[in-house]
Amino acid sequence: MRTAPTILHLDMDAFFASVEQASKPSLRGKAVVVGGLGPRGVVATASYEARVFGVHSALPMAQARRLAPNAAYLVPRFGFYRAISERVMELLRALSPLVEPLSLDEAFVDLEAGGAAWDERSARLAGVKLRADIRAVTGLTGSVGLAASKMLAKIASEQAKPDGLVTIEPGTERAMLGPMSVRTLPGVGPATGDHLRRAGITTVEEIAEAGEDELVRLLGKAHGHGLYAMALARDDRPVVAEREAKSVSVEDTYDVDIHDRLRVGLEVQRLADRCVRRLRGAGLSGRTIVLKVRRYDFSTRTRSETLRGPTDDPGVIREAAARLLDSVDTTGGVRLLGVGVSGLADYTQEDLFAQAAGERAVAEGPVEERAATPVVEEQPAPAERRWPAGHDVRHAGFGHGWVQGSGLGRVTVRFETPDSEPGRVRTFRVDDPELEPADPLPLVLREPEGGHGPDGDSGSVGLRSAAP
């Protein structure tokens, strides 16, 4: 391991919820929950004000509503979150060429590789400046951990939350980790934690004291060796700039169980087409087709089929998914379906069509013609306009606002912007011709004087900051 804390881990604070609070003055300081709002939705992110009530990520939305009935419940705006995330990642890439994103709101940075830090003092200065730049550019806060390894940097950023910076000095790791719960270590979830607890092991120091042989006996060879090394603060994993995608998949959870077998089949075909669009958008193809079915009783069935080589042909993937569905019992109803492709490559083996789709499909036309056929985009039938809670709208007379809720032919809108005072609430018919969906307004009008973009300039890339 390194002799200086030059690996940085950034974790944006309650990212989705914080973006919504920054966008909506009336929600600042209030409990905000972002996620799927249907009967089977789950929480994506909860603000710190909502976490006081026990609401957290992955919690069923119905349970969240019982815990925090007065919170604001909003549908995610992933496109907006991605745009803000990219701005943050630009700031990280200005520090080092070695940036390893883990998600939209989390990444490792090798400060030493970019010459941004070489000892504890320079690492802390880089972390302080990064947090200030993130606030100036996005109006949001992030927590920073600095350590000599990725595992410890991540633990440090968790200790720093919210809106803080923690450094773990090399040589102090064992003393710091010792009294912590075993759940602190990566890969120790509820099941492994319970298994260790039954063996009388509840802290990291007790893992080290148990010894490697005992951990292998309890948890198996790979997990036992890995966990023992982590308890001794050993982690030599490098920061990897490119994280190669291992699979591409899509899935849908249904508010009401699907019992009709024909409808299940049609949903699988639709998901296969969506998966193909993602594959082609990324310039990829894959060898293994995967079907995921979660039944009415929460039991999950996964089936897969591996082809002779990679493909991105929609006909091949649809037919493979249909064959996989034939082997799954959907009696009683289906609550979730998913289709994925793994074994990815950046090329397509053109003769796969005959192998995977069979002679019947070959008779429909030459392989080249089939492979060139674009995926037909779904054309939704005209329907009543939907107004997702939290999404942006514009009214011809009242200006920019966001949807507080809708139902019974009405939609309620609060009219405010990121740099305004909390706004007024008004209600309209869902088909009001003067009301229309709108793009999100940037959180930051402009960077303040002296703000630093990734190249040392003050370009704001569309974000905004209230005028000083």
Side-chain angles (χ1 to χ4, degrees):
M1 284 199 346
R2 305 181 181 204
T3 58
T6 54
I7 292 182
L8 179 149
H9 181 260
L10 170 71
D11 196 351
M12 299 295 288
D13 298 322
F15 183 51
F16 297 171
S18 293
V19 169
E20 299 301 342
Q21 289 176 318
S23 298
K24 303 170 172 64
S26 59
L27 297 185
R28 292 170 191 168
K30 307 282 183 63
V32 174
V33 181
V34 179
L37 303 190
R40 291 175 178 168
V42 297
V43 175
T45 307
S47 70
Y48 287 99
E49 295 85 355
R51 295 180 191 189
V52 171
F53 299 100
V55 181
H56 56 79
S57 300
L59 187 74
M61 192 61 76
Q63 187 176 347
R65 288 185 183 276
R66 289 193 294 271
L67 292 171
N70 297 320
Y73 289 86
L74 308 177
V75 175
R77 298 184 292 167
F78 288 115
F80 192 37
Y81 306 151
R82 277 191 291 270
I84 297 171
S85 171
E86 182 53 35
R87 190 64 177 102
V88 173
M89 296 302 165
E90 287 177 11
L91 292 173
L92 299 183
R93 287 191 286 268
L95 289 173
S96 172
L98 292 184
V99 176
E100 182 178 341
L102 303 179
S103 62
L104 289 178
D105 62 339
E106 186 179 1
F108 288 110
V109 183
D110 187 334
L111 297 175
E112 194 172 325
W118 51 91
D119 58 13
E120 181 184 346
R121 180 177 179 277
S122 57
R124 284 192 65 86
L125 287 174
V128 168
K129 181 180 181 299
L130 173 64
R131 292 179 57 237
D133 285 347
I134 289 173
R135 187 185 288 272
V137 169
T138 70
L140 304 175
T141 64
S143 296
V144 167
L146 294 163
S149 70
K150 290 167 69 172
M151 178 190 78
L152 292 166
K154 185 172 175 62
I155 290 173
S157 70
E158 188 63 32
Q159 290 183 320
K161 283 190 164 295
D163 190 21
L165 184 151
V166 167
T167 302
I168 299 176
E169 300 177 22
T172 68
E173 298 95 346
R174 288 285 304 275
M176 182 272 298
L177 284 175
M180 291 184 172
S181 165
V182 295
R183 293 289 304 277
T184 303
L185 298 179
V188 180
T192 301
D194 286 344
H195 195 49
L196 291 171
R197 179 180 52 79
R198 288 194 293 272
I201 300 172
T202 59
T203 67
V204 176
E205 182 59 34
E206 288 170 345
I207 290 177
E209 290 173 353
E212 192 167 15
D213 291 343
E214 177 65 8
L215 289 171
V216 168
R217 187 187 69 79
L218 287 170
L219 304 174
K221 188 172 182 180
H223 201 179
H225 287 312
L227 193 58
Y228 183 70
M230 287 190 290
L232 298 181
R234 296 174 184 165
D235 178 19
D236 294 321
R237 293 173 300 156
V239 176
V240 181
E242 298 295 333
R243 292 171 60 86
E244 185 177 350
K246 295 181 179 179
S247 65
V248 173
S249 62
V250 296
E251 63 181 44
D252 277 341
T253 300
Y254 304 98
D255 291 344
V256 178
D257 290 345
I258 303 176
H259 293 83
D260 184 346
R261 181 75 178 188
L262 177 60
R263 166 83 188 285
V264 172
L266 291 174
E267 288 293 314
V268 168
Q269 300 296 289
R270 183 179 62 82
L271 290 166
D273 285 347
R274 280 175 53 195
C275 189
V276 166
R277 289 198 290 275
R278 287 195 178 183
L279 273 176
R280 291 185 168 183
L284 296 170
S285 56
R287 297 183 63 232
T288 301
I289 317 302
V290 181
L291 176 72
K292 178 180 177 181
V293 180
R294 180 164 297 149
R295 306 195 305 168
Y296 68 98
D297 58 357
F298 285 91
S299 62
T300 301
R301 302 288 184 267
T302 303
R303 300 288 185 269
S304 64
E305 176 180 321
T306 299
L307 310 176
R308 286 204 303 257
T311 184
D312 68 348
D313 189 288
V316 173
I317 294 173
R318 280 196 299 265
E319 292 200 18
R323 286 194 297 273
L324 294 171
L325 179 62
D326 288 341
S327 66
V328 180
D329 179 12
T330 60
T331 304
V334 169
R335 62 186 294 121
L336 177 148
L337 290 168
V339 173
V341 176
S342 60
L344 300 181
D346 56 2
Y347 65 94
T348 302
Q349 184 172 311
E350 292 186 354
D351 67 355
L352 277 178
F353 185 80
Q355 174 259 316
E359 294 301 325
R360 179 187 59 78
V362 172
E364 295 176 3
V367 173
E368 292 79 4
E369 293 179 9
R370 289 294 298 268
T373 303
V375 180
V376 178
E377 295 286 341
E378 296 176 7
Q379 298 294 328
E384 181 181 88
R385 286 192 293 176
R386 296 180 63 251
W387 302 101
H391 282 224
D392 298 82
V393 296
R394 176 166 291 280
H395 189 274
F398 299 106
H400 191 92
W402 58 277
V403 176
Q404 280 202 326
S406 63
L408 301 177
R410 299 283 177 177
V411 54
T412 300
V413 177
R414 184 181 288 273
F415 291 97
E416 59 186 7
T417 63
D419 56 339
S420 75
E421 296 295 320
R424 296 276 306 273
V425 175
R426 298 181 183 275
T427 299
F428 308 91
R429 299 193 317 273
V430 293
D431 58 354
D432 190 315
E434 295 191 314
L435 188 68
E436 60 183 7
D439 291 331
L441 293 178
L443 301 182
V444 176
L445 281 167
R446 62 179 179 82
E447 291 182 21
E449 293 299 323
H452 298 287
D455 298 313
D457 62 17
S458 58
S460 65
V461 193
L463 297 176
R464 68 197 218 172
S465 152

